[in-house]
Amino acid sequence: MEFDEVVRRRRMIRSYDPDRPVPAELLDKVVQHGLRAPSAGFSQGWGFLVLTEQKDRDLYWESTTEGDLGDAKTDEAWKGDWLTRMRTAPAIIVCLSNKSAYLERYAQPDKGWTDRSESHWPVPYWDIDTGFAALLMHLSAVNEELASCFFGIPVPTVQTFKDAFGVPAEYTPIGTLTVGYRAPDKRSPSLKRGHRPVDDVVHHGRWAATPKASE
């Protein structure tokens, strides 16, 4: 597709055709595109857990839908059959960030910091860069006429998930992508909010006009 069309067609899709697995070479292409994301200091402090086997996907859902999330099915995000539809996705990509890779990279001579203090960082670039990678995978899926959705792992289940899959302690899951071929989907009720007006979001030159001093 043309890039404009990829952006225009991008949606978070929650319903998948369970009878159409994603070809391995196509899924590999999607993941490889994620590795082209930018990263501060070329730290590349990320990791991606790709799950395609049914038993692994089942384990993912079992390990991430316990605790308060399992009791929250009456909440807005869980109304209807959200989980039932999401579980039909034939591929899951868990995106994880590694803060220590960044702290170590920027303590090296060419970066100038002499310690590994997190206080140097105005925002957690390890999470931001991993998010960049996730977005590239999401857009790559759209370009290949696949469906995809990005969502988070509930805080109470993070350690259960990590234990289930042997994730090293230094890695933190920032979110998960489901990938597959689209089935008839339900639009999120949040979309009724509509897009914010451009003038409310985009500011040129200054955020707002400087108020005149009192005469």
XYZ file of all heavy atoms in Angstrom, residues 104-169:
525
model
N 23.246 1.307 30.865
C 24.609 0.853 30.581
C 25.180 1.544 29.350
O 26.337 1.974 29.351
C 24.604 -0.661 30.389
C 25.991 -1.263 30.159
C 26.869 -1.124 31.388
O 26.331 -1.156 32.513
O 28.098 -0.988 31.212
N 24.378 1.675 28.323
C 24.855 2.301 27.073
C 25.291 3.741 27.312
O 26.331 4.180 26.809
C 23.732 2.248 26.025
C 24.042 3.040 24.747
C 25.110 2.361 23.916
N 25.462 3.158 22.755
C 26.498 3.995 22.704
N 27.302 4.134 23.765
N 26.763 4.679 21.601
N 24.513 4.483 28.093
C 24.820 5.900 28.281
C 25.857 6.157 29.365
O 26.237 7.296 29.606
C 23.527 6.682 28.536
C 22.886 7.072 27.225
C 22.194 6.134 26.462
C 23.036 8.351 26.703
C 21.641 6.464 25.237
C 22.494 8.701 25.484
C 21.798 7.745 24.746
O 21.269 8.077 23.524
N 26.336 5.099 30.002
C 27.475 5.217 30.911
C 28.788 4.939 30.186
O 29.860 5.007 30.793
C 27.314 4.255 32.083
N 28.713 4.663 28.884
C 29.908 4.392 28.086
C 30.573 5.709 27.668
O 29.917 6.756 27.597
C 29.546 3.528 26.888
C 29.089 2.123 27.293
C 28.616 1.284 26.137
O 28.577 1.727 24.990
N 28.227 0.045 26.435
N 31.881 5.682 27.380
C 32.653 6.903 27.155
C 32.088 7.834 26.076
O 32.161 9.063 26.211
C 34.047 6.375 26.763
C 34.123 5.042 27.422
C 32.732 4.476 27.357
N 31.530 7.293 25.006
C 31.071 8.163 23.913
C 29.792 8.902 24.258
O 29.391 9.819 23.525
C 30.879 7.351 22.630
C 29.795 6.290 22.758
O 29.773 5.604 23.794
O 28.982 6.159 21.831
N 29.156 8.573 25.367
C 27.925 9.249 25.750
C 28.114 10.257 26.874
O 27.269 11.117 27.081
C 26.850 8.216 26.140
C 26.283 7.477 24.937
C 25.652 8.455 23.955
C 25.106 7.768 22.735
N 24.590 8.739 21.746
N 29.192 10.118 27.626
C 29.552 11.191 28.543
C 29.062 11.086 29.970
O 29.605 11.748 30.857
N 28.024 10.303 30.235
C 27.592 10.144 31.626
C 28.514 9.153 32.315
O 28.944 8.157 31.719
C 26.154 9.664 31.699
C 25.170 10.703 31.238
C 25.381 12.044 31.150
C 23.839 10.472 30.764
N 24.251 12.679 30.679
C 23.295 11.750 30.429
C 23.044 9.338 30.606
C 21.997 11.905 29.939
C 21.753 9.490 30.117
C 21.244 10.765 29.793
N 28.802 9.400 33.563
C 29.764 8.562 34.269
C 29.092 7.556 35.210
O 29.779 6.837 35.927
C 30.729 9.433 35.097
O 29.959 10.234 36.022
C 31.541 10.341 34.176
N 27.775 7.550 35.226
C 27.080 6.598 36.085
C 25.854 6.066 35.342
O 25.573 6.453 34.212
C 26.665 7.243 37.411
C 25.781 8.472 37.208
O 24.884 8.439 36.339
O 25.971 9.468 37.928
N 25.131 5.188 35.986
C 23.953 4.564 35.382
C 22.667 5.098 36.012
O 21.652 4.422 36.034
C 24.038 3.042 35.532
C 25.265 2.433 34.894
C 25.392 0.934 35.167
N 24.446 0.164 34.358
C 23.327 -0.375 34.832
N 22.987 -0.213 36.107
N 22.536 -1.071 34.043
N 22.733 6.327 36.479
C 21.571 6.894 37.165
C 20.412 7.122 36.204
O 20.581 7.690 35.116
C 21.934 8.217 37.837
O 20.780 8.838 38.375
N 19.239 6.715 36.639
C 18.025 6.920 35.841
C 17.608 8.390 35.837
O 16.817 8.810 34.985
C 16.907 6.051 36.401
C 15.673 5.979 35.541
C 14.638 5.015 36.093
O 15.006 4.144 36.915
O 13.462 5.136 35.697
N 18.163 9.182 36.756
C 17.761 10.587 36.886
C 18.159 11.428 35.676
O 17.634 12.532 35.493
C 18.367 11.189 38.158
O 19.792 11.235 38.076
N 19.083 10.938 34.855
C 19.466 11.677 33.645
C 18.347 11.712 32.606
O 18.336 12.578 31.731
C 20.698 11.027 32.992
C 21.923 11.016 33.853
N 22.517 12.166 34.315
C 22.681 9.985 34.320
C 23.580 11.855 35.032
N 23.695 10.537 35.047
N 17.432 10.789 32.700
C 16.448 10.601 31.639
C 15.150 11.355 31.950
O 14.509 11.118 32.962
C 16.144 9.107 31.478
C 17.330 8.317 31.055
C 18.311 7.810 31.864
C 17.692 7.963 29.728
N 19.259 7.149 31.116
C 18.899 7.233 29.796
C 17.102 8.184 28.481
C 19.528 6.721 28.667
C 17.725 7.673 27.353
C 18.925 6.960 27.448
N 14.756 12.286 31.073
C 13.511 13.032 31.327
C 12.262 12.174 31.181
O 11.248 12.432 31.819
C 13.537 14.135 30.266
C 14.354 13.558 29.140
C 15.403 12.709 29.815
N 12.358 11.152 30.342
C 11.265 10.195 30.139
C 11.897 8.824 29.907
O 13.066 8.731 29.529
C 10.368 10.572 28.926
C 9.571 11.833 29.210
C 11.192 10.735 27.661
N 11.155 7.724 30.107
C 11.733 6.380 29.926
C 11.853 5.999 28.450
O 10.952 5.398 27.872
C 10.741 5.480 30.669
C 9.440 6.200 30.589
C 9.775 7.660 30.646
N 12.993 6.341 27.850
C 13.173 6.077 26.424
C 13.156 4.590 26.099
O 12.849 4.205 24.960
C 14.474 6.717 25.929
C 14.269 8.139 25.476
C 14.260 9.191 26.390
C 14.037 8.445 24.136
C 14.048 10.490 25.990
C 13.827 9.736 23.718
C 13.832 10.764 24.651
O 13.608 12.060 24.243
N 13.476 3.746 27.060
C 13.428 2.297 26.813
C 11.994 1.864 26.484
O 11.787 1.033 25.604
C 13.984 1.547 28.015
C 13.632 2.155 29.339
C 12.561 1.845 30.141
C 14.354 3.202 30.008
N 12.559 2.612 31.261
C 13.652 3.462 31.226
C 15.506 3.933 29.720
C 14.077 4.427 32.139
C 15.928 4.897 30.627
C 15.217 5.134 31.818
N 11.027 2.472 27.160
C 9.632 2.167 26.861
C 9.182 2.833 25.561
O 8.452 2.237 24.764
C 8.720 2.628 28.001
C 8.961 1.864 29.293
O 9.465 0.727 29.223
O 8.636 2.403 30.371
N 9.625 4.072 25.352
C 9.244 4.803 24.141
C 9.758 4.088 22.895
O 9.027 3.888 21.917
C 9.781 6.244 24.195
C 9.037 7.037 25.273
C 9.652 6.934 22.834
C 9.620 8.401 25.544
N 11.026 3.692 22.922
C 11.613 3.037 21.749
C 10.945 1.695 21.460
O 10.732 1.330 20.302
C 13.117 2.838 21.947
C 13.884 4.163 21.950
O 13.295 5.190 21.558
O 15.063 4.155 22.346
N 10.610 0.966 22.517
C 9.906 -0.296 22.314
C 8.515 -0.032 21.747
O 8.010 -0.794 20.914
C 9.812 -1.084 23.634
O 11.132 -1.242 24.176
C 9.204 -2.452 23.422
N 7.899 1.076 22.160
C 6.618 1.478 21.583
C 6.748 1.821 20.107
O 5.861 1.495 19.304
N 7.855 2.490 19.732
C 8.119 2.753 18.308
C 8.142 1.446 17.527
O 7.553 1.326 16.447
C 9.478 3.443 18.127
C 9.500 4.913 18.412
C 10.664 5.517 18.871
C 8.385 5.710 18.204
C 10.722 6.885 19.122
C 8.424 7.070 18.447
C 9.594 7.659 18.911
N 8.845 0.470 18.071
C 8.962 -0.827 17.398
C 7.590 -1.484 17.257
O 7.258 -2.053 16.209
C 9.930 -1.736 18.166
N 6.783 -1.405 18.313
C 5.445 -1.982 18.257
C 4.602 -1.305 17.182
O 3.852 -1.971 16.453
C 4.764 -1.864 19.623
N 4.726 0.019 17.061
C 3.952 0.729 16.045
C 4.393 0.329 14.639
O 3.550 0.162 13.741
C 4.094 2.243 16.229
C 3.326 3.107 15.223
C 1.835 2.806 15.251
C 3.585 4.588 15.490
N 5.696 0.154 14.435
C 6.162 -0.289 13.119
C 5.602 -1.669 12.785
O 5.220 -1.932 11.637
C 7.690 -0.315 13.076
C 8.392 1.031 12.916
C 9.902 0.825 12.814
C 7.902 1.761 11.669
N 5.541 -2.552 13.765
C 4.952 -3.871 13.523
C 3.460 -3.749 13.228
O 2.940 -4.429 12.329
C 5.185 -4.775 14.735
C 6.619 -5.231 14.909
S 6.752 -6.470 16.232
C 7.933 -5.689 17.286
N 2.791 -2.896 13.978
C 1.357 -2.682 13.777
C 1.078 -2.170 12.363
O 0.203 -2.682 11.654
C 0.871 -1.680 14.826
C -0.584 -1.374 14.785
N -1.563 -2.330 14.890
C -1.231 -0.185 14.657
C -2.762 -1.759 14.831
N -2.581 -0.459 14.688
N 1.848 -1.176 11.919
C 1.672 -0.626 10.574
C 2.083 -1.634 9.504
O 1.468 -1.694 8.429
C 2.477 0.666 10.430
C 2.005 1.840 11.286
C 2.935 3.036 11.102
C 0.575 2.247 10.938
N 3.108 -2.424 9.792
C 3.527 -3.450 8.834
C 2.430 -4.483 8.642
O 2.206 -4.975 7.532
C 4.815 -4.137 9.308
O 5.896 -3.221 9.340
N 1.741 -4.823 9.725
C 0.618 -5.757 9.615
C -0.464 -5.185 8.713
O -1.012 -5.887 7.850
C 0.061 -6.066 10.998
N -0.767 -3.910 8.892
C -1.774 -3.259 8.033
C -1.329 -3.312 6.580
O -2.127 -3.608 5.673
C -1.997 -1.799 8.475
C -2.943 -1.088 7.514
C -2.554 -1.747 9.892
N -0.059 -3.040 6.341
C 0.460 -3.026 4.975
C 0.339 -4.393 4.311
O 0.193 -4.493 3.086
C 1.922 -2.587 4.982
C 2.472 -2.381 3.587
O 1.953 -1.589 2.809
N 3.540 -3.099 3.258
N 0.387 -5.446 5.124
C 0.272 -6.814 4.597
C -1.175 -7.307 4.634
O -1.429 -8.504 4.487
C 1.170 -7.763 5.403
C 2.644 -7.414 5.354
C 3.239 -7.547 3.960
O 2.670 -8.294 3.140
O 4.284 -6.902 3.698
N -2.112 -6.374 4.849
C -3.551 -6.677 4.897
C -3.890 -7.649 6.017
O -4.772 -8.502 5.905
C -4.050 -7.177 3.540
C -3.832 -6.142 2.435
C -4.459 -6.547 1.107
O -4.894 -7.701 0.990
O -4.512 -5.693 0.213
N -3.168 -7.489 7.127
C -3.451 -8.216 8.351
C -4.130 -7.276 9.340
O -4.076 -6.054 9.198
C -2.160 -8.751 8.969
C -1.403 -9.811 8.174
C 0.003 -9.998 8.741
C -2.162 -11.135 8.197
N -4.745 -7.847 10.348
C -5.343 -7.075 11.427
C -4.441 -7.148 12.647
O -3.701 -8.119 12.833
C -6.729 -7.617 11.759
N -4.522 -6.119 13.492
C -3.657 -6.073 14.667
C -4.289 -5.192 15.734
O -5.057 -4.284 15.425
C -2.278 -5.529 14.271
O -1.435 -5.402 15.399
N -3.935 -5.477 16.994
C -4.394 -4.658 18.111
C -3.285 -4.598 19.159
O -2.653 -5.616 19.450
C -5.676 -5.234 18.725
S -6.397 -4.226 20.047
N -3.047 -3.408 19.707
C -2.040 -3.233 20.768
C -2.757 -2.949 22.077
O -3.638 -2.099 22.137
C -1.109 -2.067 20.415
C -0.013 -1.852 21.430
C 1.125 -2.634 21.415
C -0.126 -0.856 22.386
C 2.141 -2.434 22.351
C 0.868 -0.647 23.324
C 2.006 -1.438 23.301
N -2.363 -3.649 23.137
C -3.006 -3.476 24.436
C -2.017 -3.862 25.529
O -1.000 -4.513 25.273
C -4.277 -4.340 24.535
C -4.036 -5.797 24.269
C -3.865 -6.686 25.319
C -3.947 -6.280 22.965
C -3.620 -8.034 25.072
C -3.712 -7.625 22.714
C -3.545 -8.501 23.767
N -2.318 -3.471 26.749
C -1.394 -3.704 27.846
C -1.679 -4.966 28.632
O -2.764 -5.544 28.561
N -0.681 -5.382 29.396
C -0.839 -6.486 30.346
C -1.182 -5.877 31.704
O -0.471 -4.992 32.179
C 0.447 -7.328 30.435
C 0.715 -8.039 29.104
C 0.363 -8.340 31.574
C 1.990 -8.868 29.092
N -2.262 -6.302 32.339
C -2.637 -5.730 33.636
C -1.523 -5.876 34.672
O -0.880 -6.924 34.762
C -3.874 -6.542 34.034
C -4.416 -7.065 32.735
C -3.218 -7.320 31.876
N -1.324 -4.839 35.449
C -0.240 -4.830 36.434
C -0.248 -6.057 37.353
O 0.811 -6.661 37.581
C -0.291 -3.527 37.270
C 0.716 -3.578 38.419
C -0.011 -2.323 36.382
N -1.396 -6.478 37.894
C -1.367 -7.625 38.812
C -0.902 -8.936 38.179
O -0.561 -9.876 38.899
C -2.830 -7.745 39.274
C -3.429 -6.408 39.023
C -2.753 -5.898 37.790
N -0.906 -9.005 36.849
C -0.559 -10.267 36.191
C 0.819 -10.252 35.531
O 1.224 -11.257 34.952
C -1.611 -10.621 35.113
O -1.520 -9.675 34.026
C -3.016 -10.598 35.675
N 1.532 -9.126 35.622
C 2.825 -9.024 34.931
C 3.792 -10.104 35.393
O 4.418 -10.791 34.578
C 3.434 -7.619 35.123
C 4.905 -7.612 34.673
C 2.661 -6.576 34.333
N 3.937 -10.278 36.707
C 4.891 -11.273 37.190
C 4.450 -12.681 36.845
O 5.282 -13.549 36.525
C 5.088 -11.135 38.701
C 6.266 -11.935 39.230
C 7.580 -11.538 38.565
O 7.943 -10.364 38.536
N 8.307 -12.513 38.025
N 3.136 -12.939 36.886
C 2.629 -14.256 36.506
C 2.977 -14.554 35.053
O 3.399 -15.665 34.713
C 1.104 -14.315 36.697
O 0.795 -14.012 38.054
C 0.564 -15.697 36.353
N 2.805 -13.547 34.191
C 3.174 -13.707 32.779
C 4.670 -13.991 32.642
O 5.072 -14.918 31.924
C 2.800 -12.453 31.992
C 3.585 -12.269 30.731
C 3.302 -13.033 29.603
C 4.651 -11.378 30.686
C 4.055 -12.901 28.445
C 5.401 -11.237 29.535
C 5.101 -11.993 28.404
N 5.502 -13.208 33.323
C 6.946 -13.379 33.203
C 7.382 -14.753 33.693
O 8.240 -15.398 33.081
C 7.671 -12.264 33.960
C 7.471 -10.879 33.347
C 8.160 -9.780 34.142
C 9.653 -9.866 34.019
N 10.339 -8.704 34.660
N 6.799 -15.194 34.778
C 7.136 -16.521 35.305
C 6.712 -17.614 34.321
O 7.441 -18.601 34.121
C 6.447 -16.746 36.649
C 7.016 -15.868 37.751
O 8.123 -15.322 37.570
O 6.338 -15.728 38.789
N 5.545 -17.441 33.713
C 5.017 -18.465 32.807
C 5.913 -18.662 31.597
O 6.041 -19.778 31.077
C 3.600 -18.099 32.369
N 6.551 -17.587 31.140
C 7.341 -17.663 29.906
C 8.841 -17.508 30.132
O 9.603 -17.401 29.171
C 6.838 -16.620 28.909
C 5.484 -16.936 28.342
C 4.339 -16.395 28.898
C 5.345 -17.819 27.280
C 3.076 -16.707 28.399
C 4.102 -18.142 26.768
C 2.964 -17.580 27.334
N 9.272 -17.491 31.388
C 10.704 -17.408 31.667
C 11.337 -16.105 31.231
O 12.498 -16.086 30.814
N 10.599 -15.004 31.330
C 11.122 -13.699 30.914
C 12.142 -13.210 31.939
O 11.848 -13.192 33.146
C 9.980 -12.672 30.778
C 10.526 -11.290 30.442
C 8.985 -13.131 29.712
N 13.345 -12.797 31.520
C 14.359 -12.313 32.465
C 13.854 -11.115 33.262
O 13.030 -10.317 32.789
C 15.528 -11.919 31.554
C 15.338 -12.741 30.320
C 13.854 -12.852 30.137
N 14.357 -10.965 34.473
C 13.883 -9.929 35.394
C 14.018 -8.522 34.833
O 13.202 -7.647 35.128
C 14.644 -10.050 36.714
